[in-house]
Amino acid sequence: MLETFKSNRASTFLITTVLSIILFSSLFFISQDVNNQVINRSLLLQFTIDSPKWLQYTISFLLYVLAVWYANFVVIKNQILGSGNHLAGFFVLVLLAIGPNLFLENLIAPTSLLIICFFDRCFKIQKTAKPNPLILDASFITGFLCMVYLPFVLLLLLVWTAALYSGGFNFKGWLLSIISLFITLYLAQGVLFLFDLSYFPTLTGFSLQFNQDVTKVNQIFYYSFLALVLIAIPTSFSVLRFSKVILRNHFNLIFWSIPVFTIIFITTHLKIGQVSSFLFFPFSIILGQYFIKLKKKKLANLALVVILILVVAFQLYRIIQPL
């Protein structure tokens, strides 16, 4: 199984797609209610709050599958885990699948794509001597994420970090990032004004969207997954000593993103089970690097199979739990 995901064959793409359909389809049946009376005023919710559930489910399902494909594309293009490696996409699939259900109102499906796109721009910034146009793009994406939840403004710290690694960061680039962020929010306000819609960036965006109970079984599963990430982190640090400069910069950015996204997650007052919906991209790369470097390949294959079985079992448990 490990060798399959480490290759770039058509069969790997097919397997990833089939697994995505299986794991994300189970989210259709996970019960979750959203209290629309206390729902936040985030931009996306202006358009989704009255949408029928079947439409929300379909859109979210397609966005989740697209996120897995996009994550694979970004990681392979930047050769973060080597050439043609699909392990990051596999772990993005696993981490998103154990999140909330397919309500578009929980915002995870659209924001996951924006987060992957944000990392793609930051990786590009680090590889260019003239980062200002890409800083504009990354700040623009940050502005869209701020429309979902205001504390995403902290992602500007990662934009500046990536620009510093490029060696071409200056005051002009810093000012450009700030202006781009405000222009994005200003244009959004203008467009919404034309449609007679009000919008204010919210500080309570996610905290009201995840009211799913976290049982002891859920907690054991989530903490076990976090423990696996903690075990994998030291292996990723080896990249900082023995790899090319650009790859070291990519992993430095990934490591810096963990405290930034953790702070954003803490502000939501969510339960520990939803942390994977915020940190899925850096976690997937760290776990992918760990399994690549694992010397005992039979153990790595067994671990991947066990992880897949546990995720499927966890999904089944969440489906039958309300019963």
Side-chain angles (χ1 to χ4, degrees):
M1 188 172 183
L2 178 63
E3 294 302 321
T4 300
F5 284 109
K6 286 174 64 177
S7 67
N8 199 24
R9 296 191 295 265
S11 58
T12 307
F13 178 81
L14 179 61
I15 291 171
T16 304
T17 303
V18 171
L19 287 176
S20 299
I21 293 172
I22 293 172
L23 293 182
F24 290 143
S25 295
S26 63
L27 296 177
F28 280 98
F29 307 101
I30 296 175
S31 176
Q32 179 181 340
D33 296 320
V34 177
N35 186 351
N36 290 334
Q37 294 180 350
V38 295
I39 211 161
N40 73 69
R41 296 171 293 177
S42 122
L43 175 63
L44 291 176
L45 294 179
Q46 294 278 0
F47 303 100
T48 62
I49 190 171
D50 296 323
S51 301
K53 288 184 179 180
W54 68 265
L55 180 61
Q56 293 190 42
Y57 283 6
T58 303
I59 293 174
S60 293
F61 176 81
L62 294 175
L63 291 178
Y64 272 134
V65 175
L66 184 60
V68 174
W69 290 343
Y70 190 22
N72 266 329
F73 172 76
V74 171
V75 172
I76 292 173
K77 180 180 68 173
N78 294 282
Q79 295 189 351
I80 297 174
L81 297 178
S83 179
N85 196 308
H86 287 252
L87 269 175
F90 170 77
F91 284 110
V92 166
L93 164 62
V94 168
L95 290 168
L96 289 178
I98 63 176
N101 71 5
L102 288 176
F103 270 132
L104 195 58
E105 292 169 348
N106 65 35
L107 305 177
I108 294 302
T111 54
S112 62
L113 280 173
L114 288 174
I115 288 172
I116 297 170
C117 187
F118 172 81
F119 273 100
D120 187 28
R121 291 298 182 275
C122 287
F123 292 148
K124 288 182 179 179
I125 289 172
Q126 294 182 137
K127 295 189 290 186
T128 180
K130 297 180 179 179
N132 285 353
L134 292 171
I135 289 175
L136 183 68
D137 288 351
S139 302
F140 187 70
I141 296 168
T142 304
F144 273 108
L145 285 167
C146 287
M147 295 176 195
V148 176
Y149 185 53
L150 189 58
F152 273 122
V153 70
L154 292 177
L155 294 184
L156 280 182
L157 296 174
L158 297 180
V159 176
W160 299 336
T161 301
L164 285 172
Y165 284 133
S166 74
F169 189 47
N170 50 32
F171 177 75
K172 181 180 178 181
W174 177 83
L175 190 62
L176 190 64
S177 66
I178 301 295
I179 293 174
S180 174
L181 179 69
F182 280 103
I183 287 176
T184 305
L185 294 174
Y186 180 77
L187 289 176
Q189 290 275 17
V191 171
L192 289 173
F193 178 78
L194 293 176
F195 291 95
D196 196 27
L197 293 171
S198 60
Y199 163 69
F200 301 96
T202 178
L203 285 170
T204 58
F206 287 94
S207 59
L208 299 174
Q209 303 311 311
F210 298 78
N211 54 4
Q212 191 173 10
D213 293 334
V214 179
T215 64
K216 289 184 178 180
V217 174
N218 295 35
Q219 290 178 347
I220 291 172
F221 183 85
Y222 292 133
Y223 281 118
S224 298
F225 224 100
L226 288 176
L228 179 60
V229 174
L230 292 176
I231 293 171
I233 286 177
T235 303
S236 297
F237 277 123
S238 64
V239 177
L240 304 180
R241 293 180 292 173
F242 304 113
S243 301
K244 295 180 180 179
V245 173
I246 188 61
L247 187 57
R248 291 203 304 266
N249 290 344
H250 287 341
F251 269 88
N252 273 319
L253 183 71
I254 290 164
F255 289 135
W256 281 116
S257 71
I258 293 175
V260 172
F261 275 98
T262 300
I263 292 172
I264 296 171
F265 171 74
I266 291 173
T267 64
T268 64
H269 306 292
L270 293 174
K271 298 174 182 177
I272 190 65
Q274 278 77 52
V275 69
S276 64
S277 299
F278 288 79
L279 288 152
F280 68 92
F281 193 74
F283 279 2
S284 67
I285 292 175
I286 289 172
L287 289 170
Q289 182 67 20
Y290 175 72
F291 278 91
I292 289 173
K293 295 295 184 180
L294 202 60
K295 294 181 180 179
K296 297 181 179 179
K297 301 305 178 184
K298 290 184 178 180
L299 179 62
N301 281 310
L302 178 61
L304 288 176
V305 172
V306 169
I307 288 172
L308 191 57
I309 292 173
L310 287 176
V311 171
V312 172
F314 181 68
Q315 297 292 67
L316 291 174
Y317 170 77
R318 290 204 295 173
I319 291 172
I320 65 175
Q321 181 183 345
L323 304 177

